[in-house]
Amino acid sequence: MSTYLLVHGAWHSGRSWERVVPLLEAAGHRVYAPSLTGYGDRVDLLGPQVGLDTHVADVVGLITGQDLHDVILVGHSYAGLVISSAANEVPERVAHLVYLDAMVPEDGESAADVQPVTRRLIELAEQSESGWRVPPLPELPAPFGLFGVTDPADVAWLRGMLSDQPVRCLQQPVRLDNPAVDAIARTHIHNVGATPEGITRRPVPATQPNGAPAQVWELPTGHDCMITMPAELSELLLKLA
């Protein structure tokens, strides 16, 4: 049995993994899909004080609190930053890092460094009445949809779970200064369906930090593949068990 910890991206909640969790559990694995502070069943904690460091603490706290080891740590989108810093704190407990259509940072970088389009989101948040709220990105015409989701029923379901992102999440830097992190295997899963203008993806180096060849898989769908292609995503994740 393997242990999967699925970390959702900005604006989403742990509910976004609802179609993936039972597939991994049916294969005999233990699966955690928490909502980070400020989202889902923890939306009441949303506030300007919430940042990347808060979400890293969420993940590290779950891993240590449940005494998890050999974790397959999956981060979607913004959560590529979260899992990177979390692994930096408890590398001995993480067996594999999975960057799912995710931001892949270097030490000291923030979301604004990894995905430059977020700089505009930060500016708009700082100029807004709240001074800190970053609202979810709007639904776009097909084939882009809402985070790559185009089915009307799925769009309605997804919209119901979205909440604002605190601007500090996009400003705080990742910490990757623990040499032990380099030994952790990495897999990158890229969703190669329609991508809105301005969204960029860094090329994956041919060699992982641990010296192994890069492992990059693709899914022919939009950004929220856990909603649009849960079976196919689960099949890829099960290869890492």
Side-chain angles (χ1 to χ4, degrees):
M1 179 180 71
S2 292
T3 298
Y4 290 86
L5 203 173
L6 312 177
V7 186
H8 65 81
W11 303 295
H12 291 56
S13 77
R15 290 179 58 206
S16 61
W17 302 102
E18 282 187 0
R19 298 176 181 177
V20 173
V21 170
L23 299 177
L24 299 179
E25 290 179 336
H29 304 295
R30 179 168 49 176
V31 187
Y32 295 87
S35 289
L36 300 173
T37 296
Y39 305 98
D41 57 358
R42 307 182 69 196
V43 71
D44 59 308
L45 300 176
L46 184 68
Q49 77 284 355
V50 175
L52 173 62
D53 291 350
T54 313
H55 294 155
V56 173
D58 289 339
V59 172
V60 173
L62 192 155
I63 291 173
T64 57
Q66 297 293 325
D67 195 25
L68 305 181
H69 294 270
D70 298 321
V71 175
I72 299 171
L73 188 54
V74 183
H76 177 240
S77 193
Y78 153 78
L81 310 181
V82 179
I83 66 170
S84 297
S85 275
N88 192 69
E89 293 196 25
V90 287
E92 72 283 357
R93 293 175 178 264
V94 178
H96 210 111
L97 289 170
V98 182
Y99 291 91
L100 178 58
D101 219 37
M103 299 183 187
V104 185
E106 300 291 339
D107 180 43
E109 289 188 321
S110 68
D113 298 310
V114 182
Q115 188 61 260
V117 71
T118 60
R119 296 173 189 168
R120 181 56 179 161
L121 302 180
I122 292 171
E123 291 173 1
L124 291 173
E126 292 177 335
Q127 296 165 6
S128 70
E129 183 178 351
S130 71
W132 61 271
R133 288 180 176 269
V134 181
L137 298 179
E139 182 179 359
L140 299 173
F144 305 110
L146 183 64
F147 295 103
V149 178
T150 56
D151 177 82
D154 286 346
V155 168
W157 178 70
L158 171 59
R159 186 178 287 115
M161 80 173 71
L162 299 178
S163 56
D164 291 347
Q165 174 93 339
V167 72
R168 282 173 63 87
C169 298
L170 307 179
Q171 295 171 318
Q172 288 186 323
V174 167
R175 292 292 171 238
L176 274 173
D177 54 3
N178 187 339
V181 175
D182 290 346
I184 302 174
R186 297 186 177 196
T187 292
H188 302 261
I189 301 177
H190 294 165
N191 300 332
V192 295
T195 302
E197 184 179 357
I199 303 298
T200 59
R201 177 185 292 125
R202 287 179 168 177
V204 177
T207 304
Q208 299 183 42
N210 66 0
Q215 182 158 268
V216 182
W217 298 331
E218 295 182 347
L219 287 172
T221 190
H223 189 53
D224 279 5
C225 60
M226 70 287 293
I227 296 173
T228 59
M229 298 189 77
E232 295 83 353
L233 172 59
S234 298
E235 183 178 348
L236 293 180
L237 294 177
L238 287 171
K239 292 181 179 182
L240 306 176

